[in-house]
Amino acid sequence: MQLTRIAQAVLLTLFASHASAATMESTRAQIAAQAKQLEPELLETRRDIHAHPELGNTEKRTSELVAAQLKALGLEVKTGVARTGVVAILKGGLPGPTVALRADMDALPVKEVADLPFASKAKGTYLGKEVDVMHACGHDAHTAILLSTAKILTGMRDTLPGTVVFYFQPAEEGPSDFIPDGKNTWGAKMMVEEGVMKSPKPDAVFGLHVWAGIPAGQIAYRPGATLASSDDLRIKILGKQTHAGRPWDGIDPITVGAQTIVGLQTVVSRRTDISSYPSVVSIGTINGGTRYNIIPESVDMTGTIRSYDYGIRQKLHADVRQTIEKIAESGGAKADVTIIEKYDPTINNPALTDKMLPTLKWAARDDVVNAPLVGGAEDFSFFAKEVPGLFVFLGVTPKDQDMSKAAPNHNPGFFVDESALVVGVRTLASLATDYLYANVGSGK
């Protein structure tokens, strides 16, 4: 036993002192060669998943495919995580830190319009209604990329200094239907709540997202706040029903609702400090009334609140609530305001981002750019809230296309230039190995 401990200590010392640039370059060369070799299989897997999309919390076929491939690699695999998620653990042959790599698996209630031989013809149930289903946000690419990454890293198991955990996450876009047990939440949050980041606890977590409007193979990154938080705003204005010809006999919730929409515009423009980060308060739906000559009893509105800072986010909530309630009160009405926190802001750890920038440049062959703030939201934020995280964007729009005219993510015409996917594999695999080698002997 004593000799084993001494041997391990010697190995740790050797790796700490000799995990040089040459060692990393050798590993990177192996990653590049393996990624290229696996590319046909990568594309076949992506196309299979694309042709069989599944909505949030219904990813049964996808999770079975993922679990089968991971088990074939001899990894420790756990299924049924956060309902339909899969987690696999790769323990390297040498001691070292732990990193986590994440891919999401769910699709969207969107009808595909692209004329592809593997285009989706799938149907699903979304909030009780039958809908067309499509991978309109590229999660099929994420899943295929991470599966290929797992195969490459497993082939390096004997010399890998540490542990890699693979998170195949369900319901990034949210649940597709009401869940009786009350767990109507996003996949990453549920995975964290179920303890996936406790055993083993990663020292860092990495993820990527394919993105339209960025040239295929280019990587965009941003230190600090990257994607917005996303909170549901639900408003019920309670008035008093009456004949529309005698409005003074009632309280008009439609008028109060209109004043509320106008008043909400001042929350950002006059009450929020936007010198550091922008914020958004938008109303998306208004419903009320049954007939042209009846002032209704109530009006329902829904909207979204977006921000990039936790402090600003909480102030927005308070200001939105106060504005709505006081406007309703001024009109003699009442307002019920519900704010549901869905996604946290995705914040890339600045030190980790700076440390891994050379890795991104290698993976993308120096085609790396700074990303602007993105108004969308991502539940990778729940992983990055637990440990230092880095989330980057991988361009998938053909290079000869006008980037400004590319169909965006969540659009029926969303298209993935598959030549970019091998760059994604190089990115995730090298982020994991570079981090492990760089932190051997650091106590992580």
Side-chain angles (χ1 to χ4, degrees):
M1 180 63 105
Q2 187 65 29
L3 288 175
T4 301
R5 288 177 180 169
I6 292 172
Q8 287 183 347
V10 170
L11 282 172
L12 275 171
T13 303
L14 287 173
F15 267 95
S17 57
H18 296 292
S20 61
T23 304
M24 287 188 181
E25 284 305 313
S26 174
T27 303
R28 287 175 176 179
Q30 188 177 350
I31 288 171
Q34 287 296 307
K36 189 63 179 175
Q37 183 176 335
L38 285 171
E39 189 171 16
E41 185 178 339
L42 164 69
L43 301 188
E44 181 182 354
T45 299
R46 183 258 163 171
R47 293 173 183 180
D48 180 41
I49 297 172
H50 187 89
H52 301 91
E54 296 167 298
L55 296 170
N57 288 332
T58 70
E59 308 93 337
K60 188 174 184 294
R61 181 185 186 278
T62 307
S63 63
E64 287 176 352
L65 179 153
V66 167
Q69 292 198 24
L70 296 172
K71 288 176 181 177
L73 297 174
L75 300 181
E76 179 184 335
V77 178
K78 183 178 181 182
T79 59
V81 182
R83 305 189 74 84
T84 50
V86 181
V87 175
I89 301 174
L90 168 61
K91 295 179 180 178
L94 300 168
T98 298
V99 295
L101 303 176
R102 174 269 200 167
D104 39 10
M105 302 186 295
D106 57 322
L108 286 161
V110 173
K111 182 177 177 61
E112 184 161 12
V113 298
D115 184 19
L116 298 170
F118 52 92
S120 170
K121 296 178 177 61
K123 301 281 187 179
T125 302
Y126 184 73
L127 300 181
K129 297 180 180 179
E130 185 180 71
V131 294
D132 294 289
V133 184
M134 174 195 173
H135 271 294
C137 203
H139 298 184
D140 53 331
H142 303 167
T143 302
I145 286 169
L146 191 54
L147 281 171
S148 289
T149 301
K151 292 171 184 176
I152 291 172
L153 296 181
T154 300
M156 302 177 175
R157 184 201 303 260
D158 291 345
T159 57
L160 204 63
T163 299
V164 183
V165 188
F166 304 95
Y167 299 152
F168 289 88
Q169 179 208 313
E172 190 278 329
E173 304 287 358
S176 58
D177 213 341
F178 176 77
I179 301 170
D181 63 13
K183 292 185 177 180
N184 292 283
T185 187
W186 271 244
K189 184 178 181 182
M190 193 182 298
M191 290 182 83
V192 171
E193 289 173 347
E194 291 186 4
V196 299
M197 301 192 82
K198 292 180 180 178
S199 180
K201 180 178 175 61
D203 298 293
V205 59
F206 300 106
L208 60 76
H209 204 303
V210 296
W211 207 254
I214 300 176
Q218 184 177 88
I219 290 176
Y221 78 100
R222 182 183 182 89
T226 300
L227 293 107
S229 62
S230 177
D231 303 316
D232 277 0
L233 173 60
R234 300 179 185 179
I235 307 165
K236 180 179 282 293
I237 305 295
L238 300 166
K240 181 181 178 183
Q241 186 166 318
T242 188
H243 194 293
R246 296 180 60 84
W248 52 85
D249 287 337
I251 297 172
D252 188 350
I254 293 178
T255 301
V256 173
Q259 293 170 337
T260 297
I261 293 172
V262 173
L264 283 174
Q265 307 313 304
T266 67
V267 170
V268 172
S269 67
R270 292 296 179 269
R271 302 182 64 178
T272 304
D273 181 357
I274 58 172
S275 60
S276 299
Y277 295 107
S279 299
V280 171
V281 178
S282 294
I283 296 297
T285 69
I286 309 172
N287 292 285
T290 58
R291 201 169 190 272
Y292 74 96
N293 64 346
I294 299 174
I295 288 175
E297 189 76 14
S298 64
V299 166
D300 294 301
M301 299 186 288
T302 63
T304 186
I305 302 172
R306 306 280 170 130
S307 57
Y308 298 88
D309 175 86
Y310 285 102
I312 292 174
R313 183 189 196 186
Q314 295 310 310
K315 185 176 184 300
L316 276 171
H317 290 185
D319 290 346
V320 164
R321 189 179 299 277
Q322 182 187 63
T323 298
I324 296 168
E325 290 175 347
K326 294 301 182 183
I327 288 175
E329 183 182 336
S330 72
K334 294 182 180 179
D336 288 340
V337 182
T338 302
I339 298 173
I340 302 172
E341 296 186 358
K342 289 167 47 179
Y343 297 83
D344 286 339
T346 299
I347 300 175
N348 283 333
N349 182 276
L352 180 65
T353 304
D354 183 65
K355 185 176 183 178
M356 304 313 297
L357 182 55
T359 303
L360 298 179
K361 289 181 177 180
W362 172 83
R365 302 298 189 254
D366 289 324
D367 193 6
V368 177
V369 297
N370 291 322
L373 283 171
V374 176
E378 240 287 350
D379 70 352
F380 179 85
S381 55
F382 291 104
F383 297 125
K385 195 174 180 180
E386 298 294 315
V387 300
L390 174 59
F391 191 76
V392 301
F393 301 99
L394 173 64
V396 291
T397 297
K399 293 180 180 180
D400 60 355
Q401 183 175 329
D402 184 341
M403 296 298 139
S404 67
K405 294 181 180 179
N409 295 54
H410 288 217
N411 184 281
F414 176 73
F415 177 80
V416 171
D417 182 335
E418 293 180 326
S419 68
L421 303 191
V422 70
V423 179
V425 176
R426 290 201 303 260
T427 300
L428 289 185
S430 60
L431 282 171
T433 56
D434 283 6
Y435 183 90
L436 293 178
Y437 280 112
N439 288 285
V440 170
S442 66
K444 292 184 177 181

